[in-house]
Amino acid sequence: MSIVSNTLKRIKPSPTIAVTQKARELKASGKDIIGLGAGEPDFDTPDNIKQAAIKAIKDGDTKYTAVDGTPILKDAIVKKFKRENNLEYQIDQITVGAGGKHVIYNAMMATLNEGDEVIVPAPYWVSYPDMVLLAGGNPIILKCNEKQGFKINPSELEKSITKKTKWIILNSPSNPTGACYSEKDIREIAKVLEKYPHVYILSDDIYEHVTYEGFKFFTIAQIDSLKDRVLTMNGVSKAYSMTGWRIGYAAGPTEIIKAIAKIQSQSTTNPSSISQAAAVEALNGTQDFIKERAIAFQERRDFVVNSLNKIKGIECLNPDGAFYVFPSCKGLIGKKDSSGNVFKTDTDFVQSLLENNGIAVVQGSAFGLEGFFRISYATSMENLKKAMERIKSFCESLN
Ligand SMILES: Cc1ncc(COP(=O)(O)O)c(C=O)c1O
């Protein structure tokens, strides 16, 4: 009999972390690898934030804090929601965890009973279905194809709602497609959700600040009729280049917030006191660099999308945000690489691209949609130029 639990057998390790790890290993063995798999900004954490952490250490802020966040950080989060999203929350409607991932995991553990359904639009962030499974729920995958810009079709959403639906997860800007929902898109989805008061909405806004060309961010909690059943998750990882600091947060109904704190009190306790102090500075300090960084990301997106669309067999939409694109490689299925391998799936294509050409990307099937791959352009322009040339010559070499 295996020591490993049955629950654990339901899930798989994160495929994006697996690609990053494989690329790291190939690099360490001396291969010339360009990693386009990682989901983190290549920019450093701004200095004012680092200084706040150093001060916290020097001041002795090195003890346990309140389980789900210090009052001063919760206050900064309340102000953030008011300033940026025009949303009013009380302190007891806020929770802080060790990263956005932790907060979503806790929310699923705190709310799902065996067999509860969670609607997960695909392409999805790789962790959603597995977190639902870990919590005993059933992920219901709602496919959103490229013709609809990888966004939810409201009437198809309605068809996927049942009596057992507990949550729908919304993620805009999206990982892996970069798709962004406008206020109009969200209002159309809201019209459907207004009819089903038993359905809660988890809005994953972690890429809020990575949007381009005047795209106006809108989040579903801004719709008054739904606010009471929305849990809005966000964090400092992507906006402030703080992936390693592990601070994420959410705002929503006090019943859920309290349940999350209960889980956290018996698992991780508080997130790092030093990281919390840094997050206070991130949210309350200057926000100037956010725009500058978004402009840099936009230049990279323009370059990557233009370069990909010049390659025969690849087609790429031009998304409004996040630092990902999700091109189709359907035109290359059936082709053969120089070692004689025939590509039957996107995974075959991606593996050959890594092994023969040293480019690490992630297959679309890992995100629930076959025939695509995800490129993260959160890397230098120099790397992107090299990578696009290599992808082009690789694709042209296929028979
Ligand atoms: C869509 C999405 N949500 C949540 C997260 C979690 O972010 P973190 O746990 O670093 O705050 C990520 C990270 O890659 C993500 O892409």
Side-chain angles (χ1 to χ4, degrees):
M1 210 171 60
S2 165
I3 184 73
V4 175
S5 74
N6 291 337
T7 309
L8 207 69
K9 287 182 197 143
R10 288 188 222 150
I11 66 158
K12 55 186 184 321
S14 161
T16 44
I17 292 179
V19 167
T20 312
Q21 184 56 25
K22 172 106 198 256
R24 230 179 250 145
E25 280 164 20
L26 287 171
K27 221 176 200 167
S29 73
K31 292 232 163 89
D32 178 16
I33 303 291
I34 304 174
L36 304 179
E40 62 182 349
D42 53 320
F43 302 114
D44 198 3
T45 304
D47 203 51
N48 61 315
I49 300 174
K50 289 184 184 173
Q51 291 307 325
I54 292 166
K55 183 170 182 318
I57 295 173
K58 288 195 172 146
D59 290 351
D61 280 351
T62 52
K63 303 286 200 289
Y64 293 130
T65 72
V67 164
D68 63 348
T70 57
I72 180 167
L73 177 52
K74 288 188 180 184
D75 180 62
I77 293 166
V78 166
K79 289 196 178 111
K80 176 263 177 252
F81 278 117
K82 180 70 198 153
R83 181 178 71 235
E84 296 181 341
N85 313 106
N86 199 24
L87 285 170
E88 304 269 358
Y89 287 106
Q90 304 303 314
I91 290 278
D92 64 357
Q93 290 181 286
I94 306 290
T95 190
V96 183
K101 191 182 239 180
H102 187 213
V103 174
I104 301 174
Y105 176 78
N106 283 344
M108 293 300 117
M109 293 302 277
T111 58
L112 292 183
N113 292 314
E114 203 66 34
D116 281 347
E117 293 176 356
V118 178
I119 298 174
V120 180
Y124 46 71
W125 179 45
V126 291
S127 297
Y128 299 139
D130 290 289
M131 289 195 210
V132 172
L133 288 167
L134 268 177
N138 272 339
I140 304 297
I141 307 302
L142 174 63
K143 293 230 167 173
C144 307
N145 63 38
E146 75 266 45
K147 288 197 196 83
Q148 45 197 88
F150 301 116
K151 292 192 230 178
I152 296 167
N153 173 319
S155 62
E156 282 175 18
L157 165 64
E158 184 152 21
K159 282 188 223 144
S160 66
I161 297 175
T162 71
K163 281 188 192 134
K164 289 190 187 163
T165 308
K166 196 135 205 187
W167 289 96
I168 167 162
I169 301 182
L170 298 180
N171 174 219
S172 167
S174 151
N175 176 5
T177 64
C180 295
Y181 289 73
S182 64
E183 177 172 346
K184 183 169 167 278
D185 293 332
I186 290 188
R187 288 198 181 277
E188 280 170 14
I189 291 170
K191 259 191 229 152
V192 173
L193 295 172
E194 276 166 352
K195 293 192 241 168
Y196 301 92
H198 67 290
V199 178
Y200 280 74
I201 303 132
L202 173 66
S203 184
D204 178 344
D205 296 359
I206 197 92
Y207 294 98
E208 170 177 9
H209 287 300
V210 191
T211 60
Y212 315 134
E213 284 164 345
F215 174 84
K216 205 165 173 304
F217 180 82
F218 188 81
T219 189
I220 197 156
Q222 289 174 274
I223 295 184
D224 289 341
S225 57
L226 293 178
K227 191 180 171 211
D228 287 350
R229 45 191 172 104
V230 178
L231 186 70
T232 305
M233 184 243 117
N234 209 320
V236 295
S237 292
K238 317 284 174 172
Y240 303 95
S241 297
M242 291 175 71
T243 46
W245 299 74
R246 312 308 304 131
I247 295 291
Y249 55 84
T254 44
E255 195 183 0
I256 300 178
I257 297 296
K258 269 194 203 151
I260 288 176
K262 195 168 172 185
I263 296 211
Q264 208 155 285
S265 75
Q266 294 293 17
S267 52
T268 57
T269 313
N270 60 278
S272 151
S273 57
I274 296 148
S275 296
Q276 289 191 71
V280 170
E281 173 61 22
L283 294 174
N284 287 346
T286 174
Q287 307 291 307
D288 290 351
F289 57 88
I290 289 181
K291 219 177 221 149
E292 287 160 26
R293 290 180 175 187
I295 290 169
F297 279 133
Q298 184 178 327
E299 274 170 22
R300 297 172 189 184
R301 179 212 54 184
D302 291 345
F303 172 71
V304 169
V305 171
N306 279 333
S307 307
L308 289 170
N309 280 325
K310 285 186 193 142
I311 302 173
K312 212 169 154 234
I314 292 189
E315 282 174 33
C316 186
L317 295 182
N318 193 29
D320 284 322
F323 35 69
Y324 307 105
V325 287
F326 200 65
S328 160
C329 57
K330 287 181 198 162
L332 301 171
I333 300 301
K335 298 252 178 200
K336 209 191 282 174
D337 69 12
S338 56
S339 324
N341 301 312
V342 178
F343 302 155
K344 293 200 191 78
T345 62
D346 49 14
T347 307
D348 295 339
F349 166 72
V350 159
Q351 263 171 10
S352 178
L353 186 61
L354 178 59
E355 278 155 24
N356 296 315
N357 252 15
I359 304 290
V361 297
V362 187
Q363 65 279 15
S365 47
F367 307 96
L369 203 66
E370 282 267 352
F372 296 83
F373 59 107
R374 187 192 77 173
I375 289 181
S376 160
Y377 50 86
T379 185
S380 68
M381 208 48 168
E382 195 192 335
N383 271 345
L384 290 172
K385 281 186 182 154
K386 258 200 270 171
M388 291 305 125
E389 270 166 30
R390 280 202 213 168
I391 294 176
K392 185 166 190 283
S393 64
F394 173 72
C395 293
E396 284 171 356
S397 74
L398 304 171
N399 292 296

